């Protein structure tokens, strides 16, 4: 069923419920998927209570706006995945622009009581996104998307799904599984001072080197760290990952269209490091599906040849599916 009578801190929320599975969306917060609950277990990290973005804009720069409005949940970024960047005459902020503008929500419960459509037209870039979230059964979700170019010219862009996993799903008993032989590269472009990993290190998941030369297991999530690490999978070979909490017996498996989401970013804010923006107060992980890398923004992605392109007046369709057991 669909329930649109919820308010979260004054923001309208739409819940899609099918037996044990419940997905909550906050349309005006960039179409944020705020919650995924399976039975009594919450799977997404909630960093702080959400509030209207307009309350937070004053005095913020493009570089730090995202850090202020990071509430957690699963958000979607298009056309600038990564840090502030200037491209095609547009100044983009960090993870700009779709998370910062309201999305419309449409549904017909009589036609389909387990499906909602979210729609957004970007303001800086002539792109329109249609995202349908459908509960296929009591433990499986399908996200089908269509991107439309509203202009006649070809457009370069980057597209990112940024699920922030935490709450009941993430603990020291959780393991991340990726296809065997997955090649990874530690971020060297942003040089995060809070990262414990050796910048630019290349290896095979799950083991990478720390700055001190020790091996770090990316498949595990210890609580005794205070680190903020970013690792890339530049080229995805098989479109799946699994997050399994071995103690609670919760298992999330995702599959997706690797023709569009060709790369992955593995963000590990385990504590998050000292000082701004996390002050050691975050414990989450994100397995981010993206068209492009690194996280330096669209202009750099265009230079490196990793940006995606949509033809003038063209369309791109794609999908993500995840199952919880």
């Amino acid at each position: 069923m669909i329930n649109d009578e919820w308010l979260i801190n004054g923001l309208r929320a739409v819940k899609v419920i099918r037996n044990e599975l419940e997905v909550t969306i906050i349309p005006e917060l960039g179409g944020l998927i705020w919650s995924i609950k399976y039975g009594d277990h919450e799977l997404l990290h909630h960093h702080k209570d959400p509030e209207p973005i307009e309350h937070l804009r004053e005095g913020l720069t493009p570089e730090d706006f995202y850090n202020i409005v990071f509430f957690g949940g699963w958000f979607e970024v298009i056309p600038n995945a990564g840090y502030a960047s200037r491209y095609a005459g547009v100044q983009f902020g960090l993870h700009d622009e779709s998370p910062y503008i309201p999305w419309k929500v449409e549904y017909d419960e009589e036609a389909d009581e387990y499906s909602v459509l979210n729609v957004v037209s970007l303001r800086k870039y002539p792109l329109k996104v249609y995202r349908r979230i459908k509960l296929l059964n009591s433990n499986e979700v399908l996200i089908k998307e269509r991107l439309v170019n509203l202009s006649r010219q070809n457009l370069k862009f980057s597209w990112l799904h940024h699920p922030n996993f935490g709450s009941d799903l993430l603990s020291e008993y959780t393991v991340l599984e990726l296809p065997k032989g997955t090649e990874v590269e530690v971020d060297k472009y942003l040089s995060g001072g809070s990262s414990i990993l050796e910048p630019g290190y290349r290896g095979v998941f799950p083991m990478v080197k720390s700055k001190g030369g020790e091996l770090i297991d990316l498949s595990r999530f210890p609580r005794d760290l205070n680190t903020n690490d970013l690792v890339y999978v530049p080229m995805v070979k098989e479109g799946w990952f699994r997050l399994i909490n071995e103690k609670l017996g919760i298992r999330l498996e995702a599959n997706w269209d690797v023709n569009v989401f060709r790369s992955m970013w593995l963000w590990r804010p385990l504590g998050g490091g000292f000082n701004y923006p996390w002050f050691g107060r975050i414990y989450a992980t994100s397995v981010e599906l993206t068209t492009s890398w690194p996280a330096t923004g669209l202009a750099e992605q265009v230079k490196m040849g990793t940006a995606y392109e949509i033809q003038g007046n063209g369309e791109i369709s794609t999908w993500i599916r995840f199952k919880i057991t």
Side-chain angles (χ1 to χ4, degrees):
M1 71 175 187
I2 298 169
N3 188 330
D4 61 0
E5 298 179 353
W6 287 81
L7 289 177
I8 299 177
N9 206 23
L11 291 160
R12 179 193 178 201
V14 178
K15 293 179 180 286
V16 189
I17 305 166
R18 189 160 188 170
N19 298 329
E20 292 185 283
L21 182 59
E22 177 182 295
V23 176
T24 303
I25 303 147
I26 306 179
E28 60 189 286
L29 281 186
L32 179 70
I33 301 173
W34 172 244
S35 170
I36 300 173
K37 292 188 72 174
Y38 183 65
D40 295 327
H41 299 300
E42 173 62 59
L43 307 185
L44 297 182
H45 171 71
H46 293 160
H47 191 62
K48 57 186 176 183
D49 290 338
E51 57 182 301
I53 290 176
E54 294 303 323
H55 295 178
L56 306 168
R57 287 189 185 276
E58 187 175 354
L60 299 181
T61 67
E63 288 74 18
D64 68 9
F65 185 50
Y66 163 75
N67 294 320
I68 300 299
V69 302
F70 179 82
F71 305 113
W74 178 329
F75 60 90
E76 186 168 352
V77 182
I78 192 169
N80 183 70
Y83 275 72
S85 177
R86 185 174 182 83
Y87 181 74
V90 182
Q91 180 62 54
F92 294 109
L94 174 60
H95 285 331
D96 207 4
E97 127 189 56
S98 55
Y100 309 134
I101 55 179
W103 294 43
K104 295 178 181 179
V105 61
E106 302 173 6
Y107 48 87
D108 183 343
E109 193 168 13
E110 290 187 5
D112 188 344
E113 60 181 324
Y114 304 117
S115 173
V116 295
L117 177 67
N118 301 132
V119 183
V120 66
S121 293
L122 304 185
R123 296 171 179 173
K124 299 180 182 181
Y125 226 49
L127 294 175
K128 189 171 186 177
V129 183
Y130 297 84
R131 181 185 70 190
R132 182 169 294 280
I133 300 174
K134 182 179 179 64
L135 276 55
L136 298 178
N137 49 53
S138 59
N139 68 338
E140 192 169 6
V141 180
L142 175 65
I143 299 174
K144 294 185 70 175
E145 296 191 281
R146 182 164 60 96
L147 177 68
V148 179
N149 186 346
L150 302 177
S151 76
R152 292 185 295 173
Q153 75 177 70
N154 296 359
L155 295 173
K156 302 279 191 180
F157 66 94
S158 52
W159 192 352
L160 176 78
H161 273 271
H162 197 311
N164 301 286
F165 298 112
S167 299
D168 299 318
L169 181 59
L170 195 70
S171 77
E172 60 270 35
Y173 301 102
T174 300
V175 59
L176 171 64
E177 295 182 353
L178 297 181
K180 186 176 181 179
T182 295
E183 297 177 353
V184 296
E185 178 179 321
V186 177
D187 176 72
K188 64 181 178 182
Y189 306 91
L190 305 172
S191 301
S194 297
S195 174
I196 62 172
L197 303 182
E198 179 183 309
Y201 178 84
R202 295 181 179 180
V204 176
F205 182 87
M207 307 307 294
V208 296
K209 277 188 180 181
S210 72
K211 292 176 180 176
E214 303 167 325
L215 288 176
I216 302 292
D217 186 350
L218 297 179
S219 71
R220 293 289 181 174
F221 305 93
R223 288 186 178 271
D224 58 349
L225 297 177
N226 189 15
T227 184
N228 186 12
D229 302 315
L230 180 60
V231 178
Y232 304 110
V233 179
M235 186 57 65
V236 172
K237 296 178 180 178
E238 300 176 49
W240 65 265
F241 72 82
R242 301 185 190 102
L243 271 171
I244 304 166
N245 186 312
E246 297 172 323
K247 184 174 183 179
L248 296 180
I250 307 171
R251 173 190 178 105
L252 181 144
E253 178 169 349
N255 302 89
W256 67 93
D257 176 9
V258 297
N259 294 313
V260 174
F261 300 114
R262 308 169 294 184
S263 301
M264 296 170 62
W265 303 356
L266 307 178
W267 182 45
R268 290 163 50 88
L270 304 181
F274 294 104
N275 301 328
Y276 179 84
W278 308 117
F279 294 91
R281 298 183 305 156
I282 185 172
Y283 178 73
T285 193
S286 296
V287 185
E288 305 172 30
L289 315 179
T290 179
T291 57
S292 315
W293 73 289
T296 45
L298 179 56
E300 188 65 24
Q301 292 158 359
V302 171
K303 289 180 183 177
M304 293 182 64
T306 70
Y308 214 85
E309 185 173 44
I310 185 170
Q311 299 298 305
N313 296 319
E315 297 186 6
I316 295 172
S317 295
T318 190
W319 59 272
I320 299 168
R321 185 193 304 254
F322 58 94
K323 187 173 184 179
I324 307 150
T325 54

